[in-house]
Amino acid sequence: DPVISGNFDMQTAKNLSIQLRAGALPVPVTLLQQETLGATLGSESIHKSFFAGIVGLFIVFVFLVYRYKKLGLLAGASLVFYTLINLAIFKLIPVVLTLPGIAGFILSIGMATDANILIFERYKEELFWGKKKQEALELGFERAWNSIKDSNISSLITCFILFELGSGPVRGFALTLAIGILVSLFSSIFVVKTLIEVFKKWTY
């Protein structure tokens, strides 16, 4: 019979005995299959997630160009800029990109796209109401800002709660999502607007 040795008093030995017997059933254990999983499993999942993110970014880019033509092309360029800024911040902090962290990053790309769509739809509404293109663009950015700000602030509050109360993977998700939201605010309002101002003759 196996023996566990060590410096135990009577109470400690009883507690250990109870823990070892907890859940034990008088049933023989038969080994049916044995498999060893290497560290490449996690690496492979991360690479697949990154690939999914790149494919998603490309599809979003195509949708923006199809739906908003030249404005969509500039919005797509701002998304590429947004992605590079995010990855640079992840490198500087540094952020360990687990699968939940990558999920948070990919989700933030969708939120950045949502902000661009809000701006462009308001722009189209202003044009429909008879505003000139320059005025419509200014009003589109101005009137979409409140909706963008409120939705992103509520998301940031959620990220803060998850980061404070969650454990490792949950905190990673909350951190990457929060960084993405903050960068998307900058990208959607300032980068897109600057690009449109620089290329306004071509855009209009």
Side-chain angles (χ1 to χ4, degrees), residues 68-118:
Y68 301 105
K69 306 301 185 288
K70 294 178 180 179
L71 285 176
L73 190 60
L74 295 182
S78 78
L79 278 180
V80 174
F81 176 81
Y82 159 84
T83 303
L84 295 175
I85 289 293
N86 262 291
L87 293 177
I89 293 174
F90 293 163
K91 186 71 175 177
L92 287 173
I93 290 180
V95 174
V96 178
L97 284 177
T98 59
L99 289 179
I102 294 172
F105 171 56
I106 294 173
L107 179 58
S108 69
I109 293 176
M111 297 184 71
T113 306
D114 180 60
N116 288 326
I117 289 173
L118 278 173

Side-chain angles (χ1 to χ4, degrees), residues 150-165:
D150 292 344
S151 65
N152 281 278
I153 287 175
S154 62
S155 297
L156 284 172
I157 292 171
T158 304
C159 289
F160 176 78
I161 294 171
L162 288 173
F163 189 83
E164 287 297 315
L165 302 181

